[in-house]
Amino acid sequence: MYTGRHGSTLQESPSWPTQSGPYVVLIDASSILEAEMLTSWIREASTGVLDSIDVFRVPASRRQRRYASVDPSIGERLAAEDDPLCLPVRIVWLAKERDGVRRVHPSDLLKPGDPRDPNFLLQHVILARHRERCRVVLGEPARCSDLKKRWSAPTGRGAADGTAFEEFVALQAWLALERSERHLRGLRYKVPKFLREDLFWSRPFQAGIQRLARQEGSSEQRLRKRSGRYLKEMAAQHSPYVIDIVNGITTFMIEAAHHGVDYSREDLQAIYKLGETDPLVFLPSHKSNFDHLVLQHLLYENELPLNHTAGGVNMNFFPIGPLLRRSGIFFIRRHFKENEPYKFVLRQYLDYLLEKRFALEWYIEGGRSRSGKLREPMMGLLAYVVDSYQRGITSDVVLIPVSIAYDQISDMSSYAAEQRGGQKQKESLRWLLFFIAGLKRRNGRIHVRFGEPLALSDHVGRNEDLTTPGGRLAVPRIAFAINARINAVTPITAISLVTLALLSEEKHGLTVSETSERIAPFMKFVTERNIPTTDDLPFTSHVEIEVALDALVASNVVHRSDGLTDRIYAIERGKRLAAAYYRNTIIHFFVNAGITELAFGLCTVRESPVVRSAIVERALEIRDLLKFEFFFSPSDQYADEIREEVGHYTINDVADEDVVEFSQGTFPAKSPIVLRPFFTSYFVIASVLALEGSRPLTEDELTDKALLTGEQLAAHGDIAAQEAVSTTLLATGIKLAASRGLLNASAQDRETFRSELREILDTLNTINEWEPA
């Protein structure tokens, strides 16, 4: 063991392996000092060993590796017939211990170099003053014969690819040392460090380049260089040093803007038990720029490997881009449909991460929700993962739905501006500084919930043909199942409940007592259906409701008027979109009840007596109108859900058991509060179409006209639910109109659509005036 010029031996040095020799020791050293220390360890640890020991240095894995070549004498030694045992060894430098944990602190940014990868001068200093921070690590030994088998395997790097055996052995030595080092540092630092050597020069990657070169009529050299650029542009480049620094910054930001993160450690640990056998793919909801930081923070604090998270190239700007890349983000271009080499590199990169069981993460919605509801799922990356599974890259893939909910979010002002037709602010250094400056006010707690995991093997066959009409639905079904599971575990928050109450009143504000009355039926519904809530629900006193209302006052969403006998809370002028955002985060729980209620209301207008089958029929019609807003079950299953929903209401005791009499005792009615904003938005679209007669309209033209028309109707009092005039809801209305061919239709068809929506809004107004029986 090393004594040298610095005295006593190193702590906790490994013992010499028990397997028989001869031995080939492969030293991975970044400096002369490290080489001396390892040579000393070999001499001391091998005392009494009779078999021959040959020692070689491989290119340093930490420093100056890019252009270093492997010593050919390693290959010459391994060509002998004695099948030696290869032993990789390395020196590991540990960070300073703080509160029992060895991690880099943001204050270390003020000091020269990475404490885990010190330069040769700092190595001498650490060894002299903090010897406990220096350790010898021995990688898993391997027989030369076993390495040759792996070298020649179809996925290996054999001579057919021009890769010398000694280069493959050096790579395997690095990988073995990385695994051993993780046992010392912790699982949070499980990162792929040798992509170029382990992925780019692998036989499948190089064979793919050859195939692409033939298809595109290009030279292999040109395609190889182009693919290398794509991989470098795309791949995450984890750095333990940056991982620690980013987590320190993230902790500061979370503590500055929120009162902590609410989640289950047990649920998180159970998920990673699944990850011991199959790769995990985390699919979170996307409400805020905080989302990635929050989930990575939870993984880091629980000493779990950090995810490889897909990010848009719009976030790859200085200085945030390099930090994100080194903490686990891999950047993907937004448009690459016609770029076959780029698609090939992305597929190979995902294959590699899945095969090595590195956890993936991306937002199933693609971008942040500006309305509070889950957006329609994006299928691209999910299709790539399904393809990898079908090609046998991994035995299975476990998808993890994740709900990340906030009491309030810092992004709200920009969301509201975009909903009124403003442009999304481009990500830049200036944007980042404004975002950080906006963290001065605390926004309550962050709530992370993990949905029921979904195994790909349960939803798509290994040999299933996904090009058939039925097969093409496999990936969308999986995506919609993920969104449904996210919705199912999203907790109802105090803020979302009080905004729901305040938005139910168009003309004036509410007292705390009146707010409590508006909330009560919804809270009863939540309790009866066992819907998840945050810890501060249900409300047990008016004081708790007042706390939630005052939190909205602090964020300028709600205005409070202090009167002589009471306080009145009303949504601030121009802030209904912000309030609607919080309401919309929980609205999915009440949609079926609202649709059932509306269906009954329509039936009372169209027919008498009202029968159960008619309610189901009307509900399916309403479902078809809202199909782009919410994630509904298939028609047959949904009809059963409505029949079950009808069963929650009073059934008239008459001879015909199918005749239904709705109980009006569960008030206020849910459908006006839940559904009116969406149908109002659709009505605005229908009104513009009707005004234009039969003139064809583009989607952009229709959006501009709808924003102006909606503002006009709201200002004149012709529509309630002023929050309906938002780009997100109008876009869904346009999508509905387009699906019915109304962007290029007759004036009569457009007027019929408008009349259909007018009837629904009139019915909602009637329901709103129902009184308890």
Side-chain angles (χ1 to χ4, degrees):
M1 316 227 176
Y2 187 76
T3 54
R5 289 161 291 177
H6 297 284
S8 61
T9 59
L10 299 180
Q11 295 182 6
E12 303 180 29
S13 295
S15 302
W16 194 261
T18 57
Q19 298 99 313
S20 61
Y23 304 99
V24 170
V25 182
L26 302 170
I27 290 179
D28 175 11
S30 66
S31 66
I32 294 175
L33 176 61
E34 288 188 356
E36 289 178 356
M37 295 163 69
L38 291 170
T39 301
S40 176
W41 173 83
I42 294 168
R43 183 173 60 252
E44 297 293 332
S46 63
T47 301
V49 173
L50 300 178
D51 294 309
S52 65
I53 301 173
D54 295 302
V55 180
F56 300 92
R57 285 187 65 172
V58 296
S61 60
R62 292 202 308 273
R63 293 174 179 272
Q64 299 178 345
R65 189 182 77 245
R66 180 175 297 180
Y67 303 111
S69 59
V70 180
D71 185 352
S73 60
I74 296 176
E76 295 170 5
R77 170 63 186 89
L78 296 178
E81 300 294 329
D82 54 353
D83 194 19
L85 187 70
C86 297
L87 310 178
V89 290
R90 172 191 292 173
I91 293 294
V92 171
W93 303 91
L94 302 177
K96 182 180 179 181
E97 187 173 19
R98 294 181 174 91
D99 299 323
V101 180
R102 293 191 181 277
R103 64 176 71 170
V104 176
H105 190 268
S107 62
D108 290 322
L109 286 171
L110 304 176
K111 303 173 185 177
D114 180 352
R116 292 202 191 91
D117 185 16
N119 59 38
F120 72 98
L121 290 176
L122 287 176
Q123 287 178 3
H124 283 276
V125 172
I126 293 172
L127 192 61
R129 298 181 179 179
H130 308 284
R131 177 173 290 271
E132 76 284 355
R133 290 174 53 191
C134 180
R135 306 284 174 83
V136 175
V137 167
L138 174 66
E140 180 70 26
R143 287 286 173 194
C144 180
S145 56
D146 293 331
L147 291 170
K148 285 182 178 178
K149 288 178 183 177
R150 284 147 57 186
W151 179 55
S152 303
T155 57
R157 296 173 58 201
D161 296 309
T163 302
F165 180 51
E166 59 266 23
E167 293 178 357
F168 177 78
V169 170
L171 172 60
Q172 297 307 303
W174 293 333
L175 293 173
L177 287 166
E178 286 298 310
R179 288 190 290 270
S180 295
E181 189 172 326
R182 280 204 300 271
H183 290 296
L184 185 62
R185 295 198 193 277
L187 277 177
R188 62 164 67 102
Y189 305 111
K190 178 186 177 182
V191 297
K193 291 181 63 175
F194 308 108
L195 272 177
R196 182 170 181 81
E197 297 83 359
D198 200 22
L199 170 59
F200 184 79
W201 288 108
S202 67
R203 184 178 284 119
F205 200 106
Q206 293 302 312
I209 288 175
Q210 294 169 5
R211 184 178 64 255
L212 276 172
R214 291 193 298 270
Q215 291 173 353
E216 301 210 344
S218 180
S219 69
E220 285 185 31
Q221 183 178 4
R222 185 175 180 180
L223 257 295
R224 186 172 290 112
K225 192 174 292 186
R226 183 176 170 187
S227 299
R229 287 199 307 270
Y230 288 155
L231 184 60
K232 183 177 180 181
E233 169 193 313
M234 182 185 303
Q237 299 171 0
H238 290 75
S239 160
Y241 178 70
V242 174
I243 287 171
D244 283 346
I245 294 297
V246 167
N247 183 72
I249 296 171
T250 298
T251 301
F252 167 77
M253 292 174 68
I254 290 175
E255 291 176 351
H258 295 275
H259 293 291
V261 184
D262 169 34
Y263 73 104
S264 167
R265 289 181 182 270
E266 292 74 19
D267 287 351
L268 189 55
Q269 294 294 339
I271 287 168
Y272 267 87
K273 291 294 287 184
L274 299 174
E276 291 177 0
T277 54
D278 298 304
L280 303 175
V281 176
F282 288 81
L283 299 171
S285 58
H286 199 11
K287 296 291 191 293
S288 167
N289 282 310
F290 252 90
D291 293 338
H292 170 70
L293 301 177
V294 169
L295 190 50
Q296 296 292 75
H297 174 72
L298 298 189
L299 297 175
Y300 182 95
E301 292 301 313
N302 285 272
E303 298 190 11
L304 295 169
L306 303 191
N307 298 338
H308 283 69
T309 305
V313 291
N314 57 303
M315 295 299 293
N316 190 16
F317 61 89
F318 183 82
I320 196 70
L323 284 175
L324 291 177
R325 186 185 296 277
R326 285 166 176 77
S327 63
I329 294 281
F330 64 95
F331 293 106
I332 300 179
R333 297 180 180 182
R334 292 194 179 278
H335 306 289
F336 54 88
K337 187 176 181 180
E338 306 301 325
N339 191 335
E340 291 301 322
Y342 188 90
K343 290 194 286 186
F344 163 75
V345 172
L346 176 59
R347 183 174 288 107
Q348 288 289 315
Y349 182 56
L350 293 175
D351 282 354
Y352 177 82
L353 296 176
L354 291 168
E355 183 182 15
K356 303 296 183 182
R357 295 207 304 276
F358 290 107
L360 293 173
E361 176 190 334
W362 70 83
Y363 300 110
I364 190 71
E365 304 167 83
R368 287 173 291 158
S369 169
R370 267 61 173 184
S371 68
K373 295 192 303 90
L374 273 182
R375 297 173 60 177
E376 185 176 345
M378 305 295 286
M379 313 295 176
L381 282 178
L382 182 58
Y384 274 86
V385 169
V386 170
D387 177 63
S388 295
Y389 162 71
Q390 286 200 305
R391 287 185 286 108
I393 298 300
T394 179
S395 60
D396 206 348
V397 179
V398 180
L399 308 180
I400 310 297
V402 184
S403 168
I404 305 178
Y406 299 79
D407 286 339
Q408 296 190 72
I409 62 172
S410 305
D411 316 60
M412 185 50 64
S413 59
S414 63
Y415 288 0
E418 290 175 41
Q419 291 297 291
R420 289 190 293 268
Q423 293 296 313
K424 175 179 177 290
Q425 188 176 358
K426 184 179 179 181
E427 288 81 1
S428 62
L429 178 58
R430 181 173 179 270
W431 166 86
L432 176 64
L433 294 175
F434 271 104
F435 178 76
I436 294 174
L439 302 179
K440 296 176 182 178
R441 180 183 55 80
R442 290 201 169 184
N443 293 294
R445 293 179 65 78
I446 305 171
H447 310 277
V448 179
R449 299 290 185 270
F450 301 100
E452 180 186 355
L454 185 152
L456 276 188
S457 59
D458 293 336
H459 292 79
V460 61
R462 180 80 77 180
N463 299 313
E464 183 177 348
D465 186 357
L466 301 188
T467 62
T468 65
R472 283 194 289 270
L473 296 176
V475 173
R477 282 198 190 103
I478 293 170
F480 277 86
I482 290 296
N483 271 15
R485 296 183 189 200
I486 291 173
N487 270 340
V489 297
T490 299
I492 291 180
T493 66
I495 295 293
S496 60
L497 267 185
V498 297
T499 53
L500 186 148
L502 292 174
L503 285 165
S504 69
E505 181 51 62
E506 293 282 336
K507 299 178 181 178
H508 55 74
L510 299 174
T511 65
V512 174
S513 178
E514 290 169 336
T515 304
S516 177
E517 291 173 5
R518 301 289 178 103
I519 289 172
F522 289 94
M523 202 64 243
K524 181 174 182 289
F525 182 95
V526 167
T527 303
E528 290 174 350
R529 309 294 178 94
N530 198 29
I531 294 172
T533 66
T534 53
D535 293 340
D536 51 1
L537 292 176
F539 292 124
T540 58
S541 70
H542 284 184
V543 173
E544 293 172 347
I545 297 175
E546 192 169 6
V547 167
L549 289 167
D550 284 338
L552 288 165
V553 172
S555 57
N556 297 317
V557 174
V558 168
H559 172 73
R560 188 183 75 193
S561 299
D562 295 334
L564 182 63
T565 60
D566 217 332
R567 290 174 171 174
I568 308 298
Y569 293 87
I571 297 172
E572 287 274 14
R573 182 178 178 83
K575 294 299 179 100
R576 291 188 72 86
L577 284 172
Y581 182 96
Y582 297 120
R583 176 200 60 192
N584 289 346
T585 62
I586 63 169
I587 204 170
H588 56 278
F589 289 118
F590 309 108
V591 167
N592 278 6
I595 287 177
T596 304
E597 193 176 80
L598 175 58
F600 178 80
L602 289 170
C603 287
T604 60
V605 174
R606 299 180 184 179
E607 55 205 63
S608 180
V610 177
V611 295
R612 191 190 309 266
S613 57
I615 294 176
V616 172
E617 186 179 344
R618 296 291 87 74
L620 288 170
E621 293 173 0
I622 298 166
R623 170 187 178 274
D624 188 60
L625 287 169
L626 295 170
K627 63 187 176 183
F628 298 117
E629 293 288 359
F630 302 102
F631 307 108
F632 294 113
S633 306
S635 297
D636 291 345
Q637 182 181 341
Y638 187 73
D640 291 337
E641 292 173 7
I642 295 300
R643 293 186 188 97
E644 181 181 352
E645 193 66 42
V646 172
H648 288 284
Y649 296 87
T650 300
I651 307 299
N652 195 24
D653 187 14
V654 295
D656 186 352
E657 63 179 15
D658 195 39
V659 175
V660 175
E661 179 181 300
F662 241 47
S663 166
Q664 296 181 22
T666 55
F667 281 80
K670 299 176 184 65
S671 53
I673 302 173
V674 172
L675 301 181
R676 184 159 52 193
F678 305 100
F679 286 119
T680 300
S681 184
Y682 299 173
F683 179 75
V684 171
I685 294 296
S687 297
V688 173
L689 289 170
L691 286 170
E692 294 292 327
S694 59
R695 189 174 76 84
L697 291 171
T698 66
E699 292 187 10
D700 288 343
E701 186 180 7
L702 183 51
T703 300
D704 292 341
K705 288 179 177 292
L707 283 169
L708 292 173
T709 302
E711 293 290 348
Q712 173 187 322
L713 293 174
H716 196 257
D718 295 327
I719 59 173
Q722 297 175 24
E723 66 273 16
V725 187
S726 73
T727 55
T728 298
L729 294 190
L730 292 173
T732 313
I734 292 172
K735 194 172 183 180
L736 174 64
S739 73
R740 296 190 170 197
L742 294 172
L743 300 192
N744 188 5
S746 67
Q748 182 178 353
D749 288 342
R750 289 176 171 180
E751 184 58 42
T752 299
F753 182 52
R754 182 179 181 276
S755 297
E756 179 184 5
L757 293 167
R758 179 75 270 173
E759 181 188 21
I760 288 174
L761 290 176
D762 289 344
T763 303
L764 289 171
N765 290 335
T766 300
I767 293 172
N768 201 39
E769 295 172 1
W770 283 352
E771 294 294 337

